Amino acid sequence: SQQGEEDPQALSIQEGENATMNCSYKTSINNLQWYRQNSGRGLVHLILIRSNEREKHSGRLRVTLDTSKKSSSLLITASRAADTASYFCATIVLGGTSYGKLTFGQGTILTVHP
Amino acid sequence: DSGVTQTPKHLITATGQRVTLRCSPRSGDLSVYWYQQSLDQGLQFLIQYYNGEERAKGNILERFSAQQFPDLHSELNLSSLELGDSALYFCASSVAGVNTEAFFGQGTRLTVV
């Protein structure tokens, strides 16, 4: 099973609105990362938040991390049609034989209508 | 451009055949990851190498194997191919692995007919 689970699976909004995606994970993490993928293309790293951080900003992106609830959220403000893509959270497994394994959730498909 | 190069971009082959996918990581990156992405399975972690050594293994089939060479490029070998192996295969690299972001190649689209 996947380490990270995104919610919702799909999100459809109008340009200018904010988009919020959530991610839950199962085991202890060192950091949590968010990636974006345009259809059929490679993933692009958006932001990394460490386990001792609670919030991080990058341009129109805001990421929060709640390690007590094992969850994170990605907020895209003032969305644009160009933000249409799939968004994935990713975590790295610590410990055991899979140390360093970077695993992804199933992703949220975001559609921003002009 | 992420700096990660994957070849070939597209590959069409018949069932039962063997193919090799190649990945050149970003200059200076020691860690290489391989992923399989299909519509029904999402992005599945296959295997990770760090500086030539296998570091982590995911749901990689016994028909699949990989290695990382001294010049840090990596190859993923897929043998006895089945229709269900049709997917996008991504390679990613990172400087170290644990606290750093991963950079993805554009992928190899494998179609098994």
Side-chain angles (χ1 to χ4, degrees), chain A residues 28 30 45 59 72 97-98:
Chain A
S28 295
N30 185 278
H45 182 266
S72 173
T97 58
S98 294

Side-chain angles (χ1 to χ4, degrees), chain A residues 1-2 30-31 33 35 37 40-45 48 50 88 92 94 97-106, chain B residues 33 35 37 40-45 48 55-58 88 90 97-107 109:
Chain A
S1 63
Q2 299 288 78
N30 185 278
N31 64 65
Q33 305 178 34
Y35 288 78
Q37 182 182 33
R41 311 277 291 176
L43 281 74
V44 175
H45 182 266
L48 181 155
R50 300 187 193 284
F88 296 86
I92 289 185
L94 297 179
T97 58
S98 294
Y99 183 85
K101 175 180 169 182
L102 179 65
T103 60
F104 289 80
Q106 293 285 63
Chain B
Y33 304 85
Y35 293 87
Q37 187 177 38
D40 57 343
Q41 292 291 319
L43 198 64
Q44 296 289 319
F45 171 81
Q48 181 203 1
R55 170 166 276 188
K57 211 165 186 174
L88 263 171
F90 287 106
V98 180
N99 278 322
T100 56
E101 64 192 274
F103 293 85
F104 279 75
Q106 290 303 304
R109 182 173 294 280

Side-chain angles (χ1 to χ4, degrees), chain B residues 60-72:
Chain B
I60 187 167
L61 300 172
E62 285 190 12
R63 300 183 287 108
F64 296 0
S65 65
Q67 60 185 70
Q68 186 178 28
F69 294 87
D71 66 353
L72 300 178

